């Protein structure tokens, strides 16, 4: 058991070194703050290292780490995603066309938002996202489809005559 | 209709750009040490539990060790050897896995969430998701593709020098793909375990119509995987994790093929970058129209589901004029694409401004049709206009087949391609969406 744990530690370290940029990018999208994102990811890895003996191996190790990072970022999140939009709202003030994603992401249900982040920031496939969020593979597809539907709808400016 | 994927990708990149972050592994380790007091408390509890668990685990281990011997005594000694022989050699692992969509794809009403239904014959088949893996362990290179009914949804190449997927237009930093990445771990483990003798026979019986022998392997993580091999041919058929404590049952993968191939025969092609967004700015004009005007405005024969669907009456018909623009302000000069659509709404309250509202919980049906899946109405998740996809990511079927998708508890969608029309029907239940599809007829002018 000790050998397995040590081997896991090495694999966790390799993940940290190779994928840290992605973990922080997703955490930043969730928290809306770079520093808090970095802290959340460091805390997540600390927790992963500490609890590596509980890794059940039913999915990829990376998915398990993603789960820890997402949870840490959610915990650290005090400011919603929409603040990113407010910080840069001057860019398209002159337009009636809503092309900013941030406010639309903010109104998505949390699960949809997380699936979007893991899909597009982390390039994860459905099965890894499913493992990371502890949901069924089919639910990932349905959730992503629902998010696409909502975002597409909100992207279009409705002008009724 | 909008290419929503490129737009999401671009916007996400602007929201939180990819940045190289300074590594501080020592800090993570130090923080983990600071968690020690909490862990120690847990440790006390764990030690108490171990007193009970260890004898049980010991019994299980003894059973696993003895089982092959017992089987050998009954004439089964060659099973693992023969299963090993059924795995062909070669330096690159090639595996094709299909998720059994009967698992994990079921709606609360008991129906699969994503299916294709033939309205003429009644035949319905579940959408198939297939994952193909090419893994070169020596070169730490992994190529993974996931297709839905044959349409590529995910295509990723990971090498030590770069990684690239069909979701992003630029390379990302490389990483050493190792045997613990996803399913490759268990696949590699399978082959190695057979060769090294780590495999154990866990049982036998009938599984999904096959007489199989379950061979159990310890993964590198220390948790078991089981592979079902055909009792007669010893070909690997299914793969599943063994996790009695899991809250949701781990998926069982059907193994379509598994083996080693030469490097020359392997597919490590660079994934095709996604297309650029087809105009960032969109405009939609919607107005109520008389039913008889639908075909003239759409410029082809329009369809509807009749004056009512399952007793739900037609509320209104709308004409939708979508346009995409390359820049702001929106003008006729910067149009990059335009699409028209007709929308027939059943069961809604019509508002004074020509819009509509469906009160929560009320049954409704919406029929959208367009000649342009790229710019028109509906949710045909096209990839830069190259081809139309259903909301599940599968190719849109030709009439009389319809793609059925459930994306919310009270939102079922049917999508099909009929003549020049791309048709999407949304309804509050599966029965309604099927009824509306079955009753599609031409609108008389």
């Amino acid at each position: 058991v000790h050998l397995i744990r040590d081997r896991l530690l090495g694999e966790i370290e390799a993940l940290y070194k190779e994928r840290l940029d992605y973990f922080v990018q997703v955490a930043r999208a969730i928290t809306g703050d770079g520093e808090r994102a970095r802290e959340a990811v460091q805390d997540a890895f600390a927790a992963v290292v500490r609890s590596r003996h509980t890794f059940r191996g039913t999915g990829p190790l990376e998915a398990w780490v993603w789960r820890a990072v997402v949870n840490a970022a959610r915990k650290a999140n005090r400011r919603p995603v929409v603040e990113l939009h407010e910080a840069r709202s001057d860019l398209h003030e002159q337009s009636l066309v809503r092309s900013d994603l941030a406010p639309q992401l903010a109104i998505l249900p949390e699960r949809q938002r997380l699936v979007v982040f893991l899909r597009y920031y982390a390039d994860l496939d459905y099965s890894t996202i499913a493992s990371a969020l502890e949901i069924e593979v089919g639910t990932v597809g349905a959730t992503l489809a629902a998010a696409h539907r909502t975002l597409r709808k909100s992207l279009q400016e409705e002008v009724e005559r | 209709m909008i290419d929503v994927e490129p737009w999401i990708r671009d916007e996400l990149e602007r929201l939180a750009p990819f940045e190289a972050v300074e590594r501080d592994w020592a800090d993570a380790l130090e923080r983990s040490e600071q968690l020690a007091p909490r862990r120690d408390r847990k440790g006390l509890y764990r030690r108490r539990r171990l007193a009970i668990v260890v004898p049980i685990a010991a019994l299980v281990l003894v059973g696993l060790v003895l089982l092959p011997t017992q089987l050998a005594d009954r004439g089964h000694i060659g099973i693992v050897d023969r299963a090993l022989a059924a795995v062909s050699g070669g330096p690159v692992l090639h595996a094709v896995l299909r998720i059994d969509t009967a698992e994990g794809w079921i709606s609360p009403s008991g129906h699969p969430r994503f299916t294709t239904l033939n309205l003429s014959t009644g035949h319905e088949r579940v959408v198939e998701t297939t994952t193909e893996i090419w893994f070169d362990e020596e070169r730490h290179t992994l190529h993974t593709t996931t297709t839905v009914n044959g349409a590529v949804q995910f295509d990723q190449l990971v090498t030590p020098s770069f990684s690239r997927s069909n979701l992003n237009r630029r390379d990302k930093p490389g990483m050493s793909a190792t045997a613990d990445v996803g399913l490759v771990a268990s696949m590699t483990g399978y082959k190695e375990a057979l060769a090294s003798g780590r495999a154990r026979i866990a049982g036998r019986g009938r599984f999904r119509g096959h007489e199989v022998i379950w061979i159990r392997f310890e993964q590198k993580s220390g948790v078991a995987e089981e592979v079902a091999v055909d009792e007669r041919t010893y070909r690997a058929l299914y793969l599943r994790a063994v996790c009695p404590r899991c809250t949701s049952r781990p998926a069982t993968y059907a193994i379509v093929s598994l083996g080693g191939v030469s490097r020359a025969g392997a597919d490590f092609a660079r994934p095709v970058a996604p297309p650029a967004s087809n105009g960032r700015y969109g405009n939609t004009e919607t107005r109520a129209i008389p039913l008889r005007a639908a075909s003239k405005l759409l410029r082809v024969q329009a369809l509807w589901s009749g004056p009512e669907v399952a007793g739900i009456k037609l509320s209104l018909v709308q004409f939708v004029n979508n346009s995409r623009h390359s820049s702001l302000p929106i003008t006729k000069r910067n149009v990059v694409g335009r699409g028209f659509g007709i929308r027939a709404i059943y069961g809604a309250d019509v508002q004074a401004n020509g819009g509509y509202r469906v009160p929560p919980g009320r049954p409704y049906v919406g029929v959208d049709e367009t000649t342009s899946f790229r710019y028109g109405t509906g949710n045909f998740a096209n990839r830069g206009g190259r081809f139309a996809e259903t909301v599940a990511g599968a190719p849109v079927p030709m009439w009389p087949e319809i793609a059925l998708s459930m994306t919310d508890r009270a939102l079922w969608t049917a999508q099909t391609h009929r003549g020049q029309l791309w048709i999407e029907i949304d309804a509050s239940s599966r029965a309604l969406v099927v009824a509306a599809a079955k009753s599609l007829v031409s609108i008389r002018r």
Side-chain angles (χ1 to χ4, degrees):
Chain A
V1 174
H2 182 69
L3 285 175
I4 290 167
R5 280 172 58 184
D6 281 353
R7 188 160 50 207
L8 267 179
L9 183 62
E11 291 172 6
I12 293 166
E13 183 180 359
L15 264 179
Y16 178 89
K17 289 180 175 168
E18 291 171 341
R19 302 278 286 172
L20 182 66
D21 305 330
Y22 299 94
F23 289 122
V24 172
Q25 190 180 26
V26 169
R28 196 160 73 241
I30 294 171
T31 63
D33 181 275
E35 188 55 37
R36 203 157 40 226
R38 180 66 200 270
E39 285 294 306
V41 172
Q42 290 295 105
D43 286 343
F45 268 91
V48 162
V49 168
R50 175 54 66 191
S51 61
R52 63 189 184 278
H53 61 279
T54 64
F55 175 58
R56 294 183 296 209
T58 54
L61 175 66
E62 184 179 347
W64 189 64
V65 175
W66 270 113
R67 190 185 308 162
V69 169
V70 167
N71 286 338
R74 287 169 67 199
K75 211 172 177 181
N77 183 24
R78 294 189 208 94
R79 284 190 296 179
V81 177
V82 73
E83 285 213 359
L84 283 169
H85 166 66
E86 288 167 357
R88 52 183 301 284
S89 61
D90 58 314
L91 293 178
H92 299 297
E93 263 181 1
Q94 79 273 31
S95 172
L96 288 175
V97 180
R98 293 172 295 178
S99 62
D100 274 347
L101 186 65
Q104 291 145 34
L105 280 174
I107 61 169
L108 285 181
E110 187 185 34
R111 181 190 283 180
Q112 289 184 24
R113 204 162 55 231
L114 293 176
V115 168
V116 166
F117 289 161
L118 292 177
R119 175 72 165 166
Y120 294 101
Y121 279 135
D123 276 4
L124 300 184
D125 62 13
Y126 284 11
S127 59
T128 309
I129 295 172
S131 296
L133 300 181
E134 292 188 286
I135 56 178
E136 302 283 4
V137 174
T139 305
V140 175
T143 306
L144 195 61
H148 281 176
R149 182 188 291 270
T150 305
L151 294 173
R152 182 181 288 119
K153 193 175 175 185
S154 58
L155 178 63
Q156 295 174 315
E157 175 69 11
E158 297 286 338
V159 180
E160 294 179 351
R161 287 183 176 175
Chain B
M1 176 65 200
I2 292 166
D3 287 356
V4 74
E5 278 209 325
W7 173 70
I8 292 173
R9 192 186 54 239
D10 292 349
E11 289 292 312
L12 285 175
E13 180 62 25
R14 291 197 308 139
L15 281 176
F18 182 83
E19 291 171 1
V21 180
E22 188 183 340
R23 272 74 174 147
D24 194 349
W25 178 242
D27 173 67
L29 287 179
E30 195 178 317
R31 291 179 192 219
S32 78
E33 289 302 316
Q34 289 166 3
L35 295 173
R38 193 176 156 194
R39 181 239 180 186
D40 287 345
R41 286 198 300 275
K42 280 187 177 176
L44 286 173
Y45 173 62
R46 200 166 52 244
R47 279 195 289 278
R48 284 191 205 112
R49 276 197 313 176
L50 280 177
I52 304 165
V53 172
V54 165
I56 297 171
L59 282 175
V60 172
L61 283 172
V62 168
L64 286 174
V65 170
L66 290 180
L67 186 57
T69 314
Q70 289 165 351
L71 289 170
D73 290 344
R74 295 173 196 167
H76 295 282
I77 191 163
I79 289 172
V80 172
D81 291 336
R82 276 176 276 178
L84 174 59
V87 179
S88 55
V92 176
L93 180 81
H94 179 222
V96 179
L97 308 169
R98 194 172 59 234
I99 294 177
D100 189 315
T101 48
E103 284 188 52
W105 292 64
I106 304 298
S107 69
S109 63
H111 294 94
R113 282 179 166 165
F114 303 111
T115 63
T116 306
L117 172 66
N118 187 313
L119 293 175
S120 296
T121 64
H123 177 68
E124 187 169 12
R125 61 182 195 279
V126 177
V127 168
E128 283 186 355
T129 298
T130 303
T131 297
E132 186 165 12
I133 294 164
W134 306 86
F135 178 60
D136 190 329
E137 189 171 21
E138 193 180 315
R139 296 181 179 177
H140 302 287
T141 300
L142 172 68
H143 184 199
T144 307
T145 61
T146 301
T147 58
V148 179
N149 274 9
V152 176
Q153 283 298 309
F154 185 65
D155 185 359
Q156 185 184 51
L157 179 66
V158 178
T159 76
S161 54
F162 71 93
S163 66
R164 155 77 82 169
S165 85
N166 64 334
L167 300 178
N168 283 292
R169 279 206 291 273
R170 67 178 187 197
D171 288 354
K172 290 194 171 181
M175 53 190 288
S176 295
T178 56
D180 71 292
V181 178
L183 288 164
V184 177
S186 54
M187 285 309 187
T188 309
Y190 169 58
K191 197 173 172 184
E192 287 174 347
L194 282 170
S196 66
R198 283 191 290 121
R200 298 285 181 268
I201 298 163
R204 59 199 313 158
R206 193 166 182 79
F207 186 75
R208 295 182 186 170
H210 294 92
E211 293 298 333
V212 300
I213 301 165
W214 286 100
I215 302 178
R216 184 174 295 190
F217 308 88
E218 291 299 324
Q219 289 194 104
K220 287 181 177 177
S221 61
V223 177
E225 289 275 357
E226 285 185 350
V227 174
V229 298
D230 186 283
E231 193 178 58
R232 286 179 295 110
T233 64
Y234 300 98
R235 194 172 75 82
L237 297 176
Y238 298 101
L239 168 77
R240 69 184 181 192
V242 181
C243 184
R245 291 179 301 162
C246 288
T247 50
S248 61
R249 194 160 45 122
T252 298
Y253 291 84
I255 301 171
V256 180
S257 69
L258 170 66
V261 297
S262 66
R263 289 204 169 95
D267 177 6
F268 287 114
R270 202 180 178 88
V272 176
S277 176
N278 60 333
R280 264 187 70 193
Y281 308 98
N283 187 55
T284 299
E285 298 176 4
T286 307
R287 61 186 160 103
I289 59 165
L291 178 69
R292 63 179 181 280
S295 296
K296 186 179 179 184
L297 288 166
L298 197 56
R299 299 172 187 174
V300 297
Q301 177 63 59
L303 306 171
W304 69 324
S305 294
E308 62 179 64
V309 177
I312 303 172
K313 294 191 184 325
L314 178 71
S315 306
L316 83 162
V317 180
Q318 291 180 325
F319 173 65
V320 181
N321 180 356
N322 280 337
S323 59
R324 297 293 295 166
H325 303 258
S326 58
S327 59
L328 294 174
I330 287 172
T331 67
K332 286 183 180 177
R333 285 186 173 183
N334 58 18
V335 171
V336 295
R338 188 180 291 281
F340 305 121
I342 295 294
R343 182 176 292 153
I345 306 294
Y346 298 77
D349 292 336
V350 179
Q351 297 175 317
N353 62 1
Y356 66 90
R357 180 177 172 273
V358 180
R362 183 194 285 182
Y364 75 95
V365 175
V367 180
D368 273 290
E369 54 200 271
T370 180
T371 52
S372 167
F373 70 82
R374 189 173 186 187
Y375 298 110
T377 56
N379 291 276
F380 297 98
N382 67 85
R383 306 254 165 176
R386 286 186 291 199
F387 57 91
E389 294 175 358
T390 68
V391 293
V396 176
M398 296 289 288
W399 181 266
E401 284 197 324
I402 59 171
L404 282 173
S405 310
M406 195 212 81
T407 53
D408 203 353
R409 195 170 290 273
L411 179 54
W412 283 84
T413 301
Q415 292 171 296
T416 188
H417 185 35
R418 179 170 165 173
Q420 293 175 269
L421 292 177
W422 302 89
I423 303 164
E424 178 175 315
I425 302 171
D426 293 324
S428 49
S429 73
R430 177 187 156 97
L432 273 178
V433 85
V434 172
K438 282 182 174 175
S439 56
L440 279 176
V441 291
S442 298
I443 298 173
R444 291 187 179 176
R445 300 191 187 212

